[in-house]
Amino acid sequence: MSQEAGTEHTPEAGAGQARGAGAGQARGAGAGHVREATSGPAREAHPDRVRETVAGRVRETVAGRVREAAPEHGALPVADDRLTSVLRPVRAGNGFEEALEQILQVVRLGLVPGGERLPAERELADRLGISRVTLREVLKVLQDQGLVESRRGRYGGTFVLPRAETPGEEELRRRLKDVDVEDTLRFREVLEVGAAGLCAAHGLDEEQAGRLREALARTHDAPLTEYRRLDTLLHLTLAELSGSPSLTTQYAAVRASVNDLLDCIPLLVRNLEHSQRQHTALVEAVIEGNAECAREIMREHCAGTAALLRGFLG
């Protein structure tokens, strides 16, 4: 669009800053309280613990860790910047449309949780390679759709609004009109199985293994209302660790579509218990370098999600 013309952009600034700050935090967070969730002879989460936390009776310690990790007044910490996998410079000519697509993915994937603030306009514009005028048009659309709100004052900015309760079957069928479910589920399986195999075959260093264990631990400790968001972050972490930015970008897009469907069906504790056991076995297989086992576990995991969605679509 014409508004991008003549604007000086530095889209690489955000990604570079995140890379520089990320390593220290991952090493520090590594094993400690996380090792418990991924080691031991059984190599799976104890069903009673999963049931307790998934059902929403988790202790306040996890919420405390999340609050401690978050910066003051809701801004995302640079060291925990998950936006790098989604935000990238847009192509010339479609600045508005591609920027809208990317920020929608950030919201739909839960990369910025409800109640927290998006990065400042200057940073967002730089990372997307668009003018602040165009960015404001994008944010206005999101505000009109009830996804974000703008707040003024010293601690103002653009904040993601909390999601509504499960929309239900009618909304699910409405969303189905805009998506080829079978194509989406198959493409998701190809990407996820490939990412798991790549991570295991190429191996993870200590820092990368720590990131994966930490992402897993957060799903084990998640209250019910946060489970799907943290589940998404675990899968996105695996995609990022595959070493293929293209795969990560494609996965973020397809996972956003899958989440739109999952948000319309209820969370089933029995299903979440099973998913957690699969997650634990998957992480162990990846860290141990067992590519064949990692691929098979992920294939089974994706098939379970697909079966659940088909059952509710029946």
Side-chain angles (χ1 to χ4, degrees):
M1 299 177 67
S2 60
Q3 289 140 327
E4 275 78 49
T7 304
E8 183 177 345
H9 308 303
T10 56
E12 67 275 18
Q17 186 181 24
R19 284 194 297 272
Q25 185 189 45
R27 281 192 294 270
H33 66 281
V34 178
R35 188 177 292 115
E36 176 188 35
T38 56
S39 62
R43 288 181 185 165
E44 64 178 34
H46 192 286
D48 291 340
R49 184 180 181 215
V50 174
R51 183 176 294 107
E52 178 183 349
T53 56
V54 167
R57 297 189 293 271
V58 65
R59 293 188 301 272
E60 288 298 321
T61 53
V62 176
R65 284 206 306 271
V66 173
R67 286 193 294 270
E68 290 168 7
E72 189 177 9
H73 303 296
L76 282 178
V78 174
D80 192 32
D81 187 2
R82 287 293 189 175
L83 308 189
T84 304
S85 59
V86 174
L87 298 182
R88 58 198 179 279
V90 302
R91 294 172 294 182
N94 292 314
F96 171 81
E97 291 81 4
E98 292 189 15
L100 178 59
E101 176 189 22
Q102 291 182 42
I103 299 179
L104 274 170
Q105 284 185 14
V106 167
V107 174
R108 291 159 71 195
L109 291 170
L111 300 184
V112 178
E116 291 194 12
R117 185 172 56 194
L118 290 172
E121 284 188 3
R122 182 184 299 278
E123 180 186 346
L124 271 180
D126 284 346
R127 294 176 70 163
L128 292 166
I130 60 175
S131 70
R132 293 175 72 177
V133 172
T134 298
L135 176 63
R136 286 167 186 160
E137 292 177 349
V138 168
L139 296 178
K140 178 64 165 59
V141 171
L142 298 179
Q143 188 170 347
D144 290 344
Q145 294 299 311
L147 299 174
V148 302
E149 69 175 5
S150 178
R151 300 178 191 171
R152 298 182 179 277
R154 181 179 178 185
Y155 302 117
T158 302
F159 288 76
V160 176
L161 292 174
R163 294 191 177 201
E165 295 297 322
T166 303
E169 186 175 345
E170 184 177 343
E171 175 64 14
L172 173 61
R173 296 192 180 282
R174 187 192 69 77
R175 295 182 185 186
L176 286 174
K177 296 177 182 179
D178 301 321
V179 62
D180 184 330
V181 177
E182 290 301 322
D183 178 68
T184 299
L185 294 176
R186 288 172 185 170
F187 189 40
R188 180 226 176 166
E189 180 179 336
V190 168
L191 294 175
E192 295 245 42
V193 170
L198 281 172
C199 286
H202 290 222
L204 303 181
D205 60 27
E206 183 178 349
E207 176 192 329
Q208 292 170 327
R211 281 184 60 195
L212 191 57
R213 287 190 178 107
E214 173 66 18
L216 174 65
R218 287 174 182 262
T219 65
H220 281 309
D221 292 337
L224 197 62
T225 54
E226 278 286 279
Y227 181 81
R228 278 194 178 138
R229 187 181 73 83
L230 295 173
D231 171 68
T232 297
L233 294 181
L234 170 62
H235 285 261
L236 192 58
T237 297
L238 195 66
E240 291 171 346
L241 293 175
S242 72
S244 170
S246 297
L247 185 154
T248 303
T249 298
Q250 291 297 316
Y251 176 69
V254 76
R255 180 62 192 235
S257 296
V258 171
N259 280 4
D260 279 348
L261 301 178
L262 289 174
D263 285 344
C264 294
I265 67 175
L267 286 161
L268 307 176
V269 173
R270 178 66 180 272
N271 168 251
L272 300 188
E273 292 172 359
H274 184 218
S275 292
Q276 287 300 85
R277 292 193 288 272
Q278 290 176 324
H279 285 159
T280 303
L282 172 66
V283 168
E284 282 299 308
V286 167
I287 291 175
E288 291 174 358
N290 190 335
E292 182 178 353
C293 182
R295 284 192 292 265
E296 185 55 35
I297 294 170
M298 183 62 88
R299 187 176 290 111
E300 181 180 318
H301 184 63
C302 291
T305 302
L308 200 63
L309 280 170
R310 291 189 188 107
F312 275 95
L313 297 178

